[in-house]
């Protein structure tokens, strides 16, 4: 992240090149009463010094430094001083619109990620804290710190037929990880790394190419360190699920309060143990996402182990029933199920708390 706390950085904002072709006026961000021109690439914006100086110390220092720069006095547009910035015109446009109009219209989905990315990067660069805070607040709904918010996020990515389609709703986690690293928004990283770890190892290593693009220059990849941390975290999560199955499902005994263990019918007597055996089989059968298409997702698998015993159609958390999910005959009694639910909740909380450690993220607190 750039540090703009000194006049040295303010002076670096001013890059006058009077030999270049004249920039083109932006059609919207041009005000008749504007008193300064910002140039980014081939576009210029005629805006208000007061607004820039009120919200951004680096921009204020850059404007003040113009008065002390001889070259700046030789170069003006529409009779106004010019501050040339090394930002992309589209990014600067989003940033200026946020300064004038706020960010209430910005959506934190995959369609608006370009805007969100520009606003977070430039609000960080120019130290406009209220825009940065607003953007991070919105992003934290999709990349949350707490498990309960993650559940809402996952539900929003599941369609009416029970099919989980996160990429149609949320930006790819590689984009989020790279942006969070660039802007110091480290609190977004644990959930973003976990989201990415649910992809196959080959997908993680290959990177993300936007849909419809064939230009390899648009391929987004992780830094080597982040790639290794993702794969390590993926291994940790897989081992955690295996440990849960061994400790909480395989050979699980009935509760001391089990209502079936004193039944004279041999089948009814061990129905609760049989239920947990069937649950174990279903989790192992779906370990590669064959049934519910949720590959390498321990948080979901552990929750589904509980939910498949309570769904009226025996379908579990994935929607469509049948296909080998638990039948109505395989239902633990309420005391046994409640004990298992307690174990499920504890395991999922433990997993969530371990995310920063698994993915090599140093945070002052989590969650």
């Amino acid at each position: 992240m750039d540090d703009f706390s000194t006049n040295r950085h303010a002076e670096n904002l001013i890059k006058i090149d009077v030999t270049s072709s004249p920039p083109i006026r932006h059609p919207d961000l041009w005000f008749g009463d504007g008193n300064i021109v910002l140039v980014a690439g081939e576009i210029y914006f005629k805006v208000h010094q007061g607004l820039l100086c009120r919200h951004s110390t680096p921009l204020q220092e850059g404007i003040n430094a113009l008065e002390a720069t001889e070259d700046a006095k030789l170069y003006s547009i529409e009779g106004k001083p010019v501050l040339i910035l090394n930002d992309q015109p589209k990014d600067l446009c989003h940033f200026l619109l946020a300064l004038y109009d706020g960010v209430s219209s910005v959506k934190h989905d995959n369609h608006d990620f370009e805007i969100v990315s520009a606003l977070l990067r430039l609000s960080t660069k120019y130290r406009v804290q209220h825009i940065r805070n607003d953007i991070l607040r919105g992003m934290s709904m999709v990349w949350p710190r707490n498990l309960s918010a993650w559940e809402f996020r996952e539900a929003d990515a599941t369609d009416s037929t029970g099919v989980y389609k996160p990429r149609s709703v949320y930006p790819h986690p590689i984009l989020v990880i790279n942006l969070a690293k660039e802007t110091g928004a480290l609190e977004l990283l644990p959930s973003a790394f976990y989201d990415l770890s649910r992809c196959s190892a080959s997908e993680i290593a290959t990177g993300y190419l936007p849909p419809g693009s064939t230009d390899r220059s648009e391929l987004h990849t992780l830094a080597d360190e982040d790639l290794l941390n993702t794969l390590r975290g993926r291994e940790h999560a897989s081992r955690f699920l295996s440990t849960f199955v061994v400790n909480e499902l395989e050979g699980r005994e009935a509760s001391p309060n089990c209502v079936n263990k004193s039944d004279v019918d041999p089948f009814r007597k061990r129905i609760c143990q049989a239920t947990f055996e069937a649950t174990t089989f279903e989790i192992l059968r779906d370990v590669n996402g064959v049934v519910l298409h949720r590959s390498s997702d321990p948080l979901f698998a552990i929750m589904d182990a509980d939910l498949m015993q309570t769904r009226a159609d025996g379908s579990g958390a994935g929607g469509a029933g049948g296909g080998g999910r638990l039948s109505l005959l395989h239902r633990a009694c309420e005391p046994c199920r409640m004990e298992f639910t307690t174990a499920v909740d504890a395991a999922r909380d433990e997993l969530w708390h371990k995310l920063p450690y698994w993915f090599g993220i140093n945070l002052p607190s989590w969650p």
Side-chain angles (χ1 to χ4, degrees):
M1 189 184 341
D2 290 330
D3 177 9
F4 288 91
S5 59
T6 67
N7 286 330
R8 175 174 59 84
H9 293 97
E11 292 167 359
N12 286 341
L13 293 172
I14 307 166
K15 299 178 180 179
I16 303 299
D17 182 4
V18 296
T19 63
S20 62
S21 59
I24 301 169
R25 186 175 83 180
H26 190 274
D28 183 31
L29 286 165
W30 181 94
F31 299 95
D33 62 346
N35 52 7
I36 189 165
V37 169
L38 303 182
V39 174
E42 302 298 320
I43 305 297
Y44 76 86
F45 308 81
K46 186 179 176 185
V47 291
H48 301 92
Q49 287 191 32
L51 179 75
L52 302 180
C53 294
R54 175 177 174 81
H55 295 292
S56 171
T57 299
L59 288 176
Q60 181 181 32
E61 292 173 348
I63 291 170
N64 291 340
L66 282 175
E67 299 177 359
T69 304
E70 291 299 324
D71 287 343
K73 298 175 182 177
L74 302 176
Y75 184 45
S76 66
I77 295 178
E78 299 187 19
K80 307 301 179 184
V82 175
L83 187 63
I84 299 184
L85 305 176
N86 59 348
D87 303 307
Q88 293 298 314
K90 188 179 293 186
D91 290 351
L92 187 59
C93 175
H94 294 316
F95 176 67
L96 292 173
L97 284 173
L99 279 178
Y100 278 100
D101 301 334
V103 297
S104 60
S105 63
V106 175
K107 307 299 181 185
H108 293 271
D109 55 19
N110 59 338
H111 301 296
D112 271 10
F113 184 74
E114 179 182 296
I115 298 174
V116 169
S117 176
L119 292 181
L120 184 57
R121 284 185 286 104
L122 293 195
S123 65
T124 301
K125 176 180 179 180
Y126 295 122
R127 303 213 310 267
V128 184
Q129 197 61 42
H130 72 278
I131 292 180
R132 177 180 164 89
N133 291 343
D134 287 344
I135 293 300
L136 288 178
R137 189 177 301 112
M139 293 188 74
S140 69
M141 301 298 291
V142 181
W143 314 98
R145 291 183 65 98
N146 59 75
L147 183 55
S148 59
W150 177 263
E151 299 305 341
F152 284 111
R153 180 244 200 222
E154 295 292 86
D156 287 342
T158 305
D159 68 18
S160 59
T161 65
V163 177
Y164 181 62
K165 297 181 177 180
R167 298 299 167 256
S168 66
V169 182
Y170 305 127
H172 196 280
I174 286 180
L175 301 177
V176 177
I177 290 168
N178 289 340
L179 176 63
K181 285 295 193 77
E182 179 184 351
T183 59
L186 303 185
E187 66 272 20
L188 304 175
L189 290 176
S191 56
F193 269 109
Y194 179 75
D195 186 17
L196 181 60
S197 74
R198 300 182 296 178
C199 299
S200 69
S202 61
E203 287 179 292
I204 296 169
T206 299
Y208 168 70
L209 191 65
S213 175
T214 58
D215 186 352
R216 300 297 291 179
S217 68
E218 295 183 19
L219 179 67
H220 299 269
T221 59
L222 293 175
D224 290 346
E225 180 183 9
D226 293 332
L227 175 59
L228 290 175
N229 284 335
T230 304
L231 297 177
R232 288 193 192 103
R234 191 175 188 272
E235 292 176 1
H236 280 297
S238 178
R239 285 196 294 268
F240 187 93
L241 177 58
S242 298
T243 301
F244 172 83
V245 170
V246 171
N247 292 344
E248 301 296 344
L249 278 172
E250 285 186 358
R252 186 179 184 86
E253 296 292 333
S255 165
N257 301 315
C258 177
V259 300
N260 294 319
K261 65 180 181 179
S262 59
D263 199 297
V264 296
D265 183 335
F267 175 79
R268 293 297 307 170
K269 186 171 185 176
R270 70 176 312 274
I271 188 65
C272 293
Q273 289 109 312
T275 296
F276 294 122
E277 291 168 2
T279 302
T280 302
F281 171 76
E282 288 301 326
I283 287 184
L284 296 178
R285 193 166 75 102
D286 199 35
V287 71
N288 291 316
V290 174
V291 179
L292 295 178
H293 312 292
R294 299 290 293 271
S295 178
S296 304
D297 191 346
L299 275 174
F300 174 81
I302 294 171
M303 175 183 69
D304 195 44
D306 188 27
L307 292 183
M308 71 174 68
Q309 300 182 37
T310 59
R311 290 287 176 104
D313 61 357
S315 67
R325 308 306 280 175
L326 294 188
S327 70
L328 294 175
L329 294 176
H330 284 109
R331 295 299 166 88
C333 69
E334 191 66 10
C336 287
R337 191 188 67 78
M338 291 303 294
E339 281 193 8
F340 182 62
T341 297
T342 299
V344 164
D345 291 343
R348 296 179 80 244
D349 283 339
E350 181 183 357
L351 188 157
W352 190 259
H353 277 79
K354 289 179 179 290
L355 292 183
Y357 169 72
W358 285 351
F359 293 104
I361 305 162
N362 185 19
L363 292 174
S365 65
W366 178 265

